[in-house]
Amino acid sequence: MSVTDPQRVALIGLGTIGMSMAALHLSRENVTVDVFDTRPDFDQYLLNTLPNFLDQGPSSTVASLIASGRLHIHTSLETACASATIVQEQGPENLEFKQTLWAQVESLAPLSAHFWTSTSGIAASAQQQKMSDKTRLLVVHPFNPPHIMPLLEIVPSPDTLPERVEFAREYFSVPGSKHRPVVLQKEISGFVGNRLAFALLREACYLVQEDVVSAKDLDTILMASLGPRWAGNGVFESYQQGGGEGGIQAFLDKLGGTMQVVWDDLGKVNVLGNEETSWKDKVVSQVNGAYGTLTPGQVREKEERLKDFVAVQTKKYGHDVPEA
Amino acid sequence: MSVTDPQRVALIGLGTIGMSMAALHLSRENVTVDVFDTRPDFDQYLLNTLPNFLDQGPSSTVASLIASGRLHIHTSLETACASATIVQEQGPENLEFKQTLWAQVESLAPLSAHFWTSTSGIAASAQQQKMSDKTRLLVVHPFNPPHIMPLLEIVPSPDTLPERVEFAREYFSVPGSKHRPVVLQKEISGFVGNRLAFALLREACYLVQEDVVSAKDLDTILMASLGPRWAGNGVFESYQQGGGEGGIQAFLDKLGGTMQVVWDDLGKVNVLGNEETSWKDKVVSQVNGAYGTLTPGQVREKEERLKDFVAVQTKKYGHDVPEA
């Protein structure tokens, strides 16, 4: 079955990520969405919350999606999964929960259905332990908010069939999609995006702990340099460009000395345990002082800006024709 | 003297960063720029190259800047520095060169002149060793290209006078400036921006070495998630938002387990020495294969896009009024 054929996506767990994911799927005309969540006021919660994620905005849209048969609210996992071509879960980040869920889903969903977990940290090979068929499950790790952020990290287990991986990749990269799925070649803790983020965060926490810079000034530094640079180029392409004609090799030759000094000197703070965790109070206090709790208006403002950054990424300026 | 009074900036060393810095200063109507470089064809090189950095573009602009007395080309350090209110160097990243240069500049420039080094790695406290007055020199570390990239890391030595620091900060943050100077509280190897970049780069090199992801796919991951996120928010504000009402404390409580696993497991590759440097061939080969040498048209395309990212950062969408 092609990704552009009619699809029926059963979404399990409709917290913030789930709502955003529902909006992503509903933006596809060939997709019907079945939603299931165990919270008691789920119907009302969905009606109140989903409109914030839909492009159209007005709350009547949810009613019209339901009326037109594109969105179905379920009160049982069984009915939600019964006709699914794709089952995607955004439940709690708890191994036992996910293992139990997938064993149930396997018994309820059609044999052909694809199984996707939006986990940020629990590998498919761990989640599938109680399943009898381990070839169907893979990680589709979104970045918040998934209806805007282009990345989906697709991480199969060693048992996942290649055609299951390819289906997921194609689903998120159909013509017109703003999404950019990337398939990882191996399972690894934190996958790639969060490993890169946490590597930078560790050093950021260290620099605040050492009083080199305040949390707010560090954020300014990132926004005024690496953020826009990495929005336009990846880290490798940036250094390929930075090395001039010699590319990244010339960059490593020239900056290798400074780089090794910095690598030897990177902060070794920890978040758990008792050693080198004293940065936490300082960072939390400075971050609360600088930002407080973001208002809904501020969050909305940030989402609008994020959409603009993503739009600029694919804009053409007419200079990129190779010169004669 | 106020930063908006007439200033005369002597720029020493006009490579790529120097040219871009000249364009930055020339965009200020109150600034006259004196340029000096030891390359033999300096006149012609400047006439050919500087227009690429000026907003106006056409090459006649350089001639008109010279004719109107806003730009002076010098054949000696002495005449370049003679009337300077600011001397800024972008010379080779070599400690001895910089120590000798500042001792010379000190003997040539007016007693009131500010001394700025655009170094990416050599602290002011090291550069000032041969100066008799160590209160005037500070690091003004730009990110490439400085005429577009908003960040300037201002890093005084322990001897730099606070009013020298404040002058530099004010100079880059006058009304209408697109630049965002940040003053670091301590000297540290790599300053802050490159420490954060190198922390992320080290993990990126490790993930390519381990065949988790290709160099090009890693760049896509960064561009499709963290780049645009950090263009709009710093890393701390992102996690403050990610933690919801509980802010970054709630984020650390919830994700601390995964974070510590990742921190314990971060790659320990090196760029110098013989240990754990085998990633270099693989990374260089993949990066060359993915990007080759960027054409001038591609570089121009990237600069135009960078300008748009920076413009989006200050755009208002009308949602950020705190709600009642």
Side-chain angles (χ1 to χ4, degrees), chain A residues 1 9 12 41 64 91 103 116 148 159 178 194 196 216 227 230 265 272 280 293 306:
Chain A
M1 186 174 62
V9 179
I12 315 302
D41 61 340
S64 68
W116 297 350
I148 302 175
D159 299 307
K178 282 172 269 180
N194 276 340
L196 297 175
K216 181 153 194 177
W230 291 337
D265 188 45
L272 296 185
K280 279 196 279 186
T293 302
L306 184 57

PDB file of all heavy atoms in Angstrom, chain A residues 1 9 12 41 64 91 103 116 148 159 178 194 196 216 227 230 265 272 280 293 306:
ATOM      1  N   MET A   1       0.839  -1.207   0.000  1.00  0.00           N
ATOM      2  CA  MET A   1       0.000   0.000   0.000  1.00  0.00           C
ATOM      3  C   MET A   1       0.871   1.252   0.000  1.00  0.00           C
ATOM      4  O   MET A   1       1.849   1.329   0.723  1.00  0.00           O
ATOM      5  CB  MET A   1      -0.884   0.003   1.248  1.00  0.00           C
ATOM      6  CG  MET A   1      -1.872   1.141   1.257  1.00  0.00           C
ATOM      7  SD  MET A   1      -3.017   1.041   2.656  1.00  0.00           S
ATOM      8  CE  MET A   1      -1.924   1.158   4.050  1.00  0.00           C
ATOM      9  N   VAL A   9      -4.989   6.424  10.892  1.00  0.00           N
ATOM     10  CA  VAL A   9      -3.975   6.492  11.947  1.00  0.00           C
ATOM     11  C   VAL A   9      -4.655   6.453  13.310  1.00  0.00           C
ATOM     12  O   VAL A   9      -5.446   7.349  13.635  1.00  0.00           O
ATOM     13  CB  VAL A   9      -3.134   7.782  11.831  1.00  0.00           C
ATOM     14  CG1 VAL A   9      -2.104   7.843  12.953  1.00  0.00           C
ATOM     15  CG2 VAL A   9      -2.445   7.864  10.467  1.00  0.00           C
ATOM     16  N   ILE A  12      -2.600   6.913  20.066  1.00  0.00           N
ATOM     17  CA  ILE A  12      -2.818   6.511  21.458  1.00  0.00           C
ATOM     18  C   ILE A  12      -2.046   7.468  22.354  1.00  0.00           C
ATOM     19  O   ILE A  12      -0.823   7.530  22.283  1.00  0.00           O
ATOM     20  CB  ILE A  12      -2.297   5.068  21.696  1.00  0.00           C
ATOM     21  CG1 ILE A  12      -2.732   4.128  20.573  1.00  0.00           C
ATOM     22  CG2 ILE A  12      -2.708   4.565  23.064  1.00  0.00           C
ATOM     23  CD1 ILE A  12      -4.213   4.019  20.366  1.00  0.00           C
ATOM     24  N   ASP A  41     -11.956  13.218  30.993  1.00  0.00           N
ATOM     25  CA  ASP A  41     -12.628  14.314  30.266  1.00  0.00           C
ATOM     26  C   ASP A  41     -12.076  14.444  28.842  1.00  0.00           C
ATOM     27  O   ASP A  41     -12.011  15.527  28.285  1.00  0.00           O
ATOM     28  CB  ASP A  41     -12.407  15.632  31.015  1.00  0.00           C
ATOM     29  CG  ASP A  41     -10.920  15.984  31.115  1.00  0.00           C
ATOM     30  OD1 ASP A  41     -10.080  15.060  30.958  1.00  0.00           O
ATOM     31  OD2 ASP A  41     -10.594  17.165  31.332  1.00  0.00           O
ATOM     32  N   SER A  64     -16.305  19.961  12.845  1.00  0.00           N
ATOM     33  CA  SER A  64     -16.497  19.650  11.425  1.00  0.00           C
ATOM     34  C   SER A  64     -15.633  18.456  10.996  1.00  0.00           C
ATOM     35  O   SER A  64     -16.052  17.671  10.148  1.00  0.00           O
ATOM     36  CB  SER A  64     -16.204  20.876  10.554  1.00  0.00           C
ATOM     37  OG  SER A  64     -14.828  21.187  10.601  1.00  0.00           O
ATOM     38  N   GLY A  91       2.374   7.657  24.640  1.00  0.00           N
ATOM     39  CA  GLY A  91       2.032   7.427  26.041  1.00  0.00           C
ATOM     40  C   GLY A  91       3.176   7.787  26.961  1.00  0.00           C
ATOM     41  O   GLY A  91       4.171   8.361  26.533  1.00  0.00           O
ATOM     42  N   ALA A 103       1.824  -5.218  23.093  1.00  0.00           N
ATOM     43  CA  ALA A 103       1.284  -6.577  23.050  1.00  0.00           C
ATOM     44  C   ALA A 103      -0.234  -6.532  22.841  1.00  0.00           C
ATOM     45  O   ALA A 103      -0.794  -7.319  22.062  1.00  0.00           O
ATOM     46  CB  ALA A 103       1.631  -7.308  24.345  1.00  0.00           C
ATOM     47  N   TRP A 116       4.153   2.632  15.323  1.00  0.00           N
ATOM     48  CA  TRP A 116       5.126   3.708  15.529  1.00  0.00           C
ATOM     49  C   TRP A 116       5.067   4.192  16.977  1.00  0.00           C
ATOM     50  O   TRP A 116       3.996   4.487  17.515  1.00  0.00           O
ATOM     51  CB  TRP A 116       4.812   4.912  14.622  1.00  0.00           C
ATOM     52  CG  TRP A 116       4.896   4.621  13.145  1.00  0.00           C
ATOM     53  CD1 TRP A 116       5.391   3.508  12.533  1.00  0.00           C
ATOM     54  CD2 TRP A 116       4.416   5.482  12.089  1.00  0.00           C
ATOM     55  NE1 TRP A 116       5.279   3.618  11.168  1.00  0.00           N
ATOM     56  CE2 TRP A 116       4.690   4.816  10.864  1.00  0.00           C
ATOM     57  CE3 TRP A 116       3.813   6.736  12.057  1.00  0.00           C
ATOM     58  CZ2 TRP A 116       4.360   5.376   9.624  1.00  0.00           C
ATOM     59  CZ3 TRP A 116       3.493   7.303  10.827  1.00  0.00           C
ATOM     60  CH2 TRP A 116       3.772   6.616   9.630  1.00  0.00           C
ATOM     61  N   ILE A 148       4.900  21.506  13.475  1.00  0.00           N
ATOM     62  CA  ILE A 148       5.706  22.570  12.875  1.00  0.00           C
ATOM     63  C   ILE A 148       7.145  22.107  12.634  1.00  0.00           C
ATOM     64  O   ILE A 148       7.734  22.369  11.590  1.00  0.00           O
ATOM     65  CB  ILE A 148       5.731  23.824  13.790  1.00  0.00           C
ATOM     66  CG1 ILE A 148       4.306  24.340  14.043  1.00  0.00           C
ATOM     67  CG2 ILE A 148       6.597  24.922  13.161  1.00  0.00           C
ATOM     68  CD1 ILE A 148       4.253  25.495  15.031  1.00  0.00           C
ATOM     69  N   ASP A 159      15.165  -5.944  14.442  1.00  0.00           N
ATOM     70  CA  ASP A 159      14.156  -6.859  13.903  1.00  0.00           C
ATOM     71  C   ASP A 159      13.182  -6.195  12.930  1.00  0.00           C
ATOM     72  O   ASP A 159      12.415  -6.880  12.258  1.00  0.00           O
ATOM     73  CB  ASP A 159      13.322  -7.455  15.063  1.00  0.00           C
ATOM     74  CG  ASP A 159      14.191  -8.241  16.026  1.00  0.00           C
ATOM     75  OD1 ASP A 159      14.927  -9.127  15.559  1.00  0.00           O
ATOM     76  OD2 ASP A 159      14.144  -7.946  17.236  1.00  0.00           O
ATOM     77  N   LYS A 178       6.211  19.383   4.842  1.00  0.00           N
ATOM     78  CA  LYS A 178       7.280  20.236   5.374  1.00  0.00           C
ATOM     79  C   LYS A 178       8.203  19.427   6.271  1.00  0.00           C
ATOM     80  O   LYS A 178       9.133  19.968   6.856  1.00  0.00           O
ATOM     81  CB  LYS A 178       6.668  21.405   6.159  1.00  0.00           C
ATOM     82  CG  LYS A 178       6.129  22.520   5.260  1.00  0.00           C
ATOM     83  CD  LYS A 178       5.371  23.560   6.062  1.00  0.00           C
ATOM     84  CE  LYS A 178       3.895  23.201   6.133  1.00  0.00           C
ATOM     85  NZ  LYS A 178       3.070  24.148   6.883  1.00  0.00           N
ATOM     86  N   ASN A 194      18.670  14.486  20.411  1.00  0.00           N
ATOM     87  CA  ASN A 194      18.829  14.782  21.837  1.00  0.00           C
ATOM     88  C   ASN A 194      20.256  14.558  22.321  1.00  0.00           C
ATOM     89  O   ASN A 194      20.702  15.237  23.258  1.00  0.00           O
ATOM     90  CB  ASN A 194      17.839  13.978  22.680  1.00  0.00           C
ATOM     91  CG  ASN A 194      16.481  14.664  22.756  1.00  0.00           C
ATOM     92  OD1 ASN A 194      16.372  15.866  22.509  1.00  0.00           O
ATOM     93  ND2 ASN A 194      15.451  13.908  23.062  1.00  0.00           N
ATOM     94  N   LEU A 196      22.907  15.356  20.590  1.00  0.00           N
ATOM     95  CA  LEU A 196      23.571  16.617  20.223  1.00  0.00           C
ATOM     96  C   LEU A 196      23.131  17.736  21.167  1.00  0.00           C
ATOM     97  O   LEU A 196      23.956  18.524  21.653  1.00  0.00           O
ATOM     98  CB  LEU A 196      23.249  16.983  18.777  1.00  0.00           C
ATOM     99  CG  LEU A 196      23.744  16.002  17.701  1.00  0.00           C
ATOM    100  CD1 LEU A 196      23.234  16.435  16.326  1.00  0.00           C
ATOM    101  CD2 LEU A 196      25.270  15.900  17.691  1.00  0.00           C
ATOM    102  N   LYS A 216      20.866  33.554  30.903  1.00  0.00           N
ATOM    103  CA  LYS A 216      20.211  34.373  29.879  1.00  0.00           C
ATOM    104  C   LYS A 216      21.210  34.842  28.819  1.00  0.00           C
ATOM    105  O   LYS A 216      20.911  34.830  27.624  1.00  0.00           O
ATOM    106  CB  LYS A 216      19.529  35.576  30.524  1.00  0.00           C
ATOM    107  CG  LYS A 216      18.828  36.431  29.489  1.00  0.00           C
ATOM    108  CD  LYS A 216      17.659  37.192  30.031  1.00  0.00           C
ATOM    109  CE  LYS A 216      16.844  37.725  28.869  1.00  0.00           C
ATOM    110  NZ  LYS A 216      15.648  38.420  29.293  1.00  0.00           N
ATOM    111  N   GLY A 227      22.476  29.256  16.585  1.00  0.00           N
ATOM    112  CA  GLY A 227      21.089  28.954  16.210  1.00  0.00           C
ATOM    113  C   GLY A 227      20.829  29.259  14.738  1.00  0.00           C
ATOM    114  O   GLY A 227      20.530  28.357  13.953  1.00  0.00           O
ATOM    115  N   TRP A 230      23.044  27.109  12.356  1.00  0.00           N
ATOM    116  CA  TRP A 230      22.616  25.712  12.219  1.00  0.00           C
ATOM    117  C   TRP A 230      21.190  25.593  11.677  1.00  0.00           C
ATOM    118  O   TRP A 230      20.749  24.498  11.339  1.00  0.00           O
ATOM    119  CB  TRP A 230      22.767  24.989  13.554  1.00  0.00           C
ATOM    120  CG  TRP A 230      24.209  24.777  13.955  1.00  0.00           C
ATOM    121  CD1 TRP A 230      25.298  24.745  13.122  1.00  0.00           C
ATOM    122  CD2 TRP A 230      24.717  24.549  15.272  1.00  0.00           C
ATOM    123  NE1 TRP A 230      26.447  24.524  13.855  1.00  0.00           N
ATOM    124  CE2 TRP A 230      26.117  24.392  15.177  1.00  0.00           C
ATOM    125  CE3 TRP A 230      24.113  24.463  16.535  1.00  0.00           C
ATOM    126  CZ2 TRP A 230      26.936  24.157  16.280  1.00  0.00           C
ATOM    127  CZ3 TRP A 230      24.925  24.221  17.639  1.00  0.00           C
ATOM    128  CH2 TRP A 230      26.322  24.071  17.511  1.00  0.00           C
ATOM    129  N   ASP A 265      38.750  20.140  28.118  1.00  0.00           N
ATOM    130  CA  ASP A 265      38.339  21.009  29.219  1.00  0.00           C
ATOM    131  C   ASP A 265      36.814  21.078  29.377  1.00  0.00           C
ATOM    132  O   ASP A 265      36.309  21.789  30.250  1.00  0.00           O
ATOM    133  CB  ASP A 265      38.910  22.410  28.918  1.00  0.00           C
ATOM    134  CG  ASP A 265      38.749  23.384  30.057  1.00  0.00           C
ATOM    135  OD1 ASP A 265      39.023  22.988  31.206  1.00  0.00           O
ATOM    136  OD2 ASP A 265      38.341  24.534  29.802  1.00  0.00           O
ATOM    137  N   LEU A 272      22.147  13.452  37.671  1.00  0.00           N
ATOM    138  CA  LEU A 272      21.747  12.524  38.735  1.00  0.00           C
ATOM    139  C   LEU A 272      22.946  12.206  39.622  1.00  0.00           C
ATOM    140  O   LEU A 272      24.090  12.464  39.250  1.00  0.00           O
ATOM    141  CB  LEU A 272      21.196  11.232  38.133  1.00  0.00           C
ATOM    142  CG  LEU A 272      19.911  11.359  37.316  1.00  0.00           C
ATOM    143  CD1 LEU A 272      19.428   9.982  36.882  1.00  0.00           C
ATOM    144  CD2 LEU A 272      18.815  12.080  38.101  1.00  0.00           C
ATOM    145  N   LYS A 280      22.693  22.706  39.466  1.00  0.00           N
ATOM    146  CA  LYS A 280      21.248  22.687  39.198  1.00  0.00           C
ATOM    147  C   LYS A 280      20.512  23.860  39.834  1.00  0.00           C
ATOM    148  O   LYS A 280      19.705  24.515  39.173  1.00  0.00           O
ATOM    149  CB  LYS A 280      20.644  21.350  39.651  1.00  0.00           C
ATOM    150  CG  LYS A 280      20.861  20.260  38.609  1.00  0.00           C
ATOM    151  CD  LYS A 280      19.954  19.069  38.837  1.00  0.00           C
ATOM    152  CE  LYS A 280      20.513  18.171  39.910  1.00  0.00           C
ATOM    153  NZ  LYS A 280      19.717  16.927  40.051  1.00  0.00           N
ATOM    154  N   THR A 293       7.250  31.621  33.865  1.00  0.00           N
ATOM    155  CA  THR A 293       6.454  30.653  33.108  1.00  0.00           C
ATOM    156  C   THR A 293       5.980  31.330  31.831  1.00  0.00           C
ATOM    157  O   THR A 293       5.438  32.432  31.878  1.00  0.00           O
ATOM    158  CB  THR A 293       5.224  30.203  33.918  1.00  0.00           C
ATOM    159  OG1 THR A 293       5.682  29.650  35.151  1.00  0.00           O
ATOM    160  CG2 THR A 293       4.424  29.152  33.160  1.00  0.00           C
ATOM    161  N   LEU A 306       8.826  30.075  14.710  1.00  0.00           N
ATOM    162  CA  LEU A 306       9.380  28.799  14.254  1.00  0.00           C
ATOM    163  C   LEU A 306       8.903  28.463  12.836  1.00  0.00           C
ATOM    164  O   LEU A 306       9.684  28.007  11.993  1.00  0.00           O
ATOM    165  CB  LEU A 306       8.983  27.694  15.244  1.00  0.00           C
ATOM    166  CG  LEU A 306       9.522  26.303  15.005  1.00  0.00           C
ATOM    167  CD1 LEU A 306      11.046  26.285  14.960  1.00  0.00           C
ATOM    168  CD2 LEU A 306       9.028  25.348  16.099  1.00  0.00           C
TER     169      LEU A 306
END
